[in-house]
Amino acid sequence: MQKDIYVVGLMVDERSTKAPDVQQVITRYGSNILCRNGIPSPSRERGIITLTMEAAPNEYEKMEQELKNLHGVTVDCIHFSQQESFQVCQK
């Protein structure tokens, strides 16, 4: 099965209350995640997480949908396909 690279950006509103839900989703896809970077700030209501992952398109789409189903979470990504150069993920 073809696995592509996805660089995923998450903006989490109400970070202090939403973080556990976001973490549960990320943990379910942990075997696909190559790198994770988070920028928490106690003085701000938002948090930013970036993920670099290697996944089949259907695996990424499933994770993306789970994250988008969480109120206050915004997801954007860049998709590097083995067959193409790169593309911005469809919204």
Side-chain angles (χ1 to χ4, degrees):
M1 174 180 279
Q2 173 184 324
K3 292 198 173 191
D4 296 337
I5 300 295
Y6 296 85
V7 180
V8 186
L10 307 174
M11 176 73 72
V12 182
D13 291 329
E14 301 174 30
R15 182 182 61 81
S16 60
T17 58
K18 302 296 180 188
D21 295 332
V22 172
Q23 182 58 43
Q24 282 185 347
V25 174
I26 291 172
T27 298
R28 278 197 290 278
Y29 296 90
S31 62
N32 297 100
I33 295 172
L34 304 171
C35 179
R36 174 187 172 159
N37 183 28
I39 305 172
S41 176
S43 65
R44 297 182 188 203
E45 289 297 313
R46 289 181 162 176
I48 298 171
I49 299 171
T50 57
L51 305 172
T52 302
M53 62 187 299
E54 183 177 40
N58 65 326
E59 293 171 317
Y60 168 75
E61 290 165 8
K62 187 174 175 185
M63 183 193 76
E64 178 186 51
Q65 191 58 53
E66 287 183 41
L67 289 167
K68 285 183 174 183
N69 286 340
L70 299 174
H71 177 72
V73 177
T74 304
V75 182
D76 270 316
C77 86
I78 297 174
H79 173 204
F80 295 90
S81 174
Q82 291 182 15
Q83 297 174 357
E84 304 169 6
S85 56
F86 78 92
Q87 59 190 8
V88 176
C89 296
Q90 302 297 318
K91 295 193 181 216

